[in-house]
Amino acid sequence: DGGITQSPKYLFRKEGQNVTLSCEQNLNHDAMYWYRQDPGQGLRLIYYSQIVNDFQKGDIAEGYSVSREKKESFPLTVTSAQKNPTAFYLCATRSGTSGGTYEQYFGPGTRLTVT
Amino acid sequence: AQKITQTQPGMFVQEKEAVTLDCTYDTSDPSYGLFWYKQPSSGEMIFLIYQGSYDQQNATEGRYSLNFQKARKSANLVISASQLGDSAMYFCAMREGMDSGGYQKVTFGTGTKLQVIP
């Protein structure tokens, strides 16, 4: 079945530790995105990648890092430099086909709690 | 100024009734698109409907329709015949053209929590 997987669903870390959130897709989509969602707020873009080996900062990239070594995978590392890392993290993809509706497809999300 | 404004933090609707969720947007880009997503308590975002800025007719997808009023910059979601499974957060979002790298910027509103009452 085609889709986006994010693991784990819940993640707990101690302050000062780096943590990597996984995002894998088998939709053969070119573009992949990482969003952060806080209570009462909409989604905010952290990083995006249009193609393999290329990625760009979004609106709130500070304290985060990514890699895109394979088309299927776009892992997000939350570093100790991120001041408020506790949040819900969503990975999304979009087909690179021009035209169409450009809708994004989302994974189930990872809820990160840092204490 | 907010790019996407959803003024209703929470809404209640009786089962089988219709409900309208409001969304206004702000852009100077002549080419843009508007989306609605549903987020159940499980957390994943589910795409519902899309309206392009040049589309002449309002978009419809099953029980969902988008009331697009371009001059007023509004893109309200109408859900007909509400069901208990419609209880969720609903987000309006807008894409604004593409930059030189092919990236389409997408901005999300803060969402409306819809609760369907039996």
Side-chain angles (χ1 to χ4, degrees), chain B residues 2-9 11 19-26 32-37 49 51 65-78 90-95 107-112:
Chain B
Q2 292 287 335
K3 290 277 189 179
I4 294 285
T5 303
Q6 294 182 254
T7 57
Q8 307 153 314
M11 291 276 288
V19 63
T20 298
L21 307 183
D22 295 340
C23 173
T24 57
Y25 60 92
D26 183 27
Y32 57 90
L34 296 150
F35 306 84
W36 278 92
Y37 288 87
I49 196 165
Q51 180 86 40
S65 61
L66 200 152
N67 184 0
F68 182 47
Q69 298 188 43
K70 196 170 182 177
R72 296 180 61 185
K73 294 190 173 179
S74 76
N76 299 339
L77 177 70
V78 180
Y90 288 82
F91 290 92
C92 180
M94 175 175 66
R95 69 159 184 86
T107 306
F108 287 80
T110 53
T112 295

Side-chain angles (χ1 to χ4, degrees), chain A residues 9 33 35 37 40-43 45 48 50 59 88 90 94 101-104 106-108, chain B residues 35 37 39 42-45 47 50 91 95 98-99 101-106 108-110:
Chain A
K9 180 77 172 169
Y33 307 80
Y35 289 94
Q37 185 178 25
Q41 296 193 32
L43 277 63
L45 181 66
Y48 67 96
Q50 299 282 97
D59 300 320
F88 187 54
L90 284 158
R94 181 176 65 82
T101 61
Y102 302 100
E103 75 266 25
Q104 292 172 310
F106 286 84
Chain B
F35 306 84
Y37 288 87
Q39 187 179 42
S42 58
E44 65 185 290
M45 299 280 281
F47 167 71
Y50 170 83
F91 290 92
R95 69 159 184 86
M98 287 193 181
D99 64 14
Y103 168 61
Q104 57 150 6
K105 183 172 175 61
V106 178
F108 287 80
T110 53

Side-chain angles (χ1 to χ4, degrees), chain A residues 31-105:
Chain A
M32 297 187 74
Y33 307 80
W34 273 105
Y35 289 94
R36 170 182 172 138
Q37 185 178 25
D38 294 284
Q41 296 193 32
L43 277 63
R44 292 184 291 168
L45 181 66
I46 305 172
Y47 267 97
Y48 67 96
S49 169
Q50 299 282 97
I51 56 172
V52 174
N53 292 323
D54 184 62
F55 48 82
Q56 304 295 330
K57 292 182 180 179
D59 300 320
I60 56 164
E62 186 176 347
Y64 299 98
S65 66
V66 293
S67 63
R68 186 88 186 271
E69 297 176 3
K70 299 185 301 182
K71 188 174 185 177
E72 302 80 17
S73 179
F74 191 40
L76 173 74
T77 297
V78 184
T79 74
S80 56
Q82 168 50 232
K83 297 201 184 330
N84 297 297
T86 295
F88 187 54
Y89 291 87
L90 284 158
C91 177
T93 70
R94 181 176 65 82
S95 170
T97 304
S98 62
T101 61
Y102 302 100
E103 75 266 25
Q104 292 172 310
Y105 297 84

